[in-house]
Amino acid sequence: MTWDWQVFLLDTGGGRTYLEWLMSAWGWTLSVGLSALVVALLVGTLMGILRTVPNKALAMLGECWTELFRNIPLLVQLFLWYHVLPSIFLSLREIPSFVLVVFALGFFTSARISEQIKAGIRSLPTGQRYAGLAMGLTLPQTYRYVLMPMAFRVVIPPLTSEAMNIIKNSSVAFAVSIAELTMFAMQAQEETSRGIEVYLAVTGLYFISAFAINRIMLFIEERVRVPGAAGGGK
């Protein structure tokens, strides 16, 4: 068996090389993953907070959201966003596939982040909430200035895993024709018959992407660590 890495210098027939196509696909993968991560963090944080507030209606809303999106497979959710919802809400037909994928992946991951935020808040001493309220802060202010800064420090390690997973889970976007890495690999392998080289290159880019996020999150964890606090080390 001989490897031929020059396959990436061949013309695809569309005026660009397979290497250029690979880099474009990598860009789409990062765009989908990072955009979905923003959605997941915003929505997941909100739902995690709602699950810990004393208002039963808001807590139930957070619980229902989390249970709904974490108990349906990601690929099924993606097909619901792409095929089912646009048939019900016709205005969604005008929305690009990229946006639908971002919301599908973001909402799916938000349920997992919601669970981690809830656990992070519950891990803090209950006296912190009461102290904030006793100082005259409203409940939203208590969460913003007292609870959430410490809770985020506690949950950075599991959030790191979710940030890495969302890049890898972005591979489902191939199912709705987003030109990301997995779709590139499938099409390039069929056109060149060099599956080993193609899939090794794609695997390497997925690894680089996830590893870079891991290092960034580790840097953030070190920067925000509070000595002597929960999860803060010595």
Side-chain angles (χ1 to χ4, degrees):
M1 180 183 68
T2 59
W3 292 358
D4 182 13
W5 294 101
Q6 292 185 359
V7 65
F8 291 103
L9 302 180
L10 298 178
D11 194 294
T12 64
R16 62 176 177 175
T17 64
Y18 283 99
L19 179 60
E20 292 172 332
W21 185 8
L22 175 63
M23 292 297 102
S24 174
W26 191 20
W28 278 108
T29 291
L30 294 177
S31 297
V32 169
L34 295 178
S35 298
L37 180 59
V38 173
V39 173
L41 286 172
L42 293 175
V43 178
T45 299
L46 175 61
M47 293 303 160
I49 291 173
L50 292 182
R51 296 172 72 193
T52 64
V53 299
N55 186 299
K56 291 185 178 180
L58 293 179
M60 181 60 68
L61 172 62
E63 292 288 349
C64 290
W65 178 280
T66 302
E67 294 303 324
L68 174 65
F69 285 98
R70 77 175 178 179
N71 287 305
I72 301 176
L74 174 57
L75 195 56
V76 174
Q77 293 190 37
L78 179 60
F79 287 146
L80 287 173
W81 275 92
Y82 191 74
H83 295 293
V84 178
L85 292 181
S87 298
I88 300 174
F89 305 101
L90 300 182
S91 59
L92 291 179
R93 294 181 178 179
E94 306 299 323
I95 298 179
S97 301
F98 173 84
V99 176
L100 297 177
V101 171
V102 166
F103 278 107
L105 183 55
F107 286 175
F108 173 80
T109 308
S110 73
R112 302 171 61 89
I113 292 178
S114 166
E115 193 68 33
Q116 292 157 7
I117 294 296
K118 174 186 174 182
I121 294 173
R122 291 280 174 84
S123 70
L124 301 177
T126 56
Q128 292 194 17
R129 183 197 300 260
Y130 298 138
L133 296 174
M135 293 174 59
L137 298 178
T138 64
L139 185 61
Q141 288 174 330
T142 300
Y143 272 91
R144 178 180 179 183
Y145 297 113
V146 179
L147 299 179
M148 293 311 299
M150 294 306 301
F152 269 121
R153 289 175 169 87
V154 173
V155 301
I156 283 180
L159 285 182
T160 299
S161 296
E162 293 306 325
M164 296 170 66
N165 285 337
I166 207 167
I167 293 294
K168 293 177 283 187
N169 287 340
S170 68
S171 61
V172 301
F174 87 92
V176 293
S177 302
I178 300 296
E180 45 73 63
L181 284 173
T182 300
M183 173 166 279
F184 162 81
M186 296 170 63
Q187 294 185 354
Q189 189 273 335
E190 290 181 0
E191 294 177 8
T192 65
S193 299
R194 307 302 302 187
I196 294 177
E197 294 87 340
V198 168
Y199 279 104
L200 282 177
V202 168
T203 299
L205 291 181
Y206 273 120
F207 173 82
I208 291 171
S209 303
F211 186 75
I213 288 179
N214 177 276
R215 296 296 95 183
I216 292 171
M217 294 296 289
L218 182 61
F219 173 77
I220 294 174
E221 182 180 0
E222 293 292 336
R223 294 286 295 178
V224 303
R225 177 172 295 168
V226 178
K234 296 181 178 180

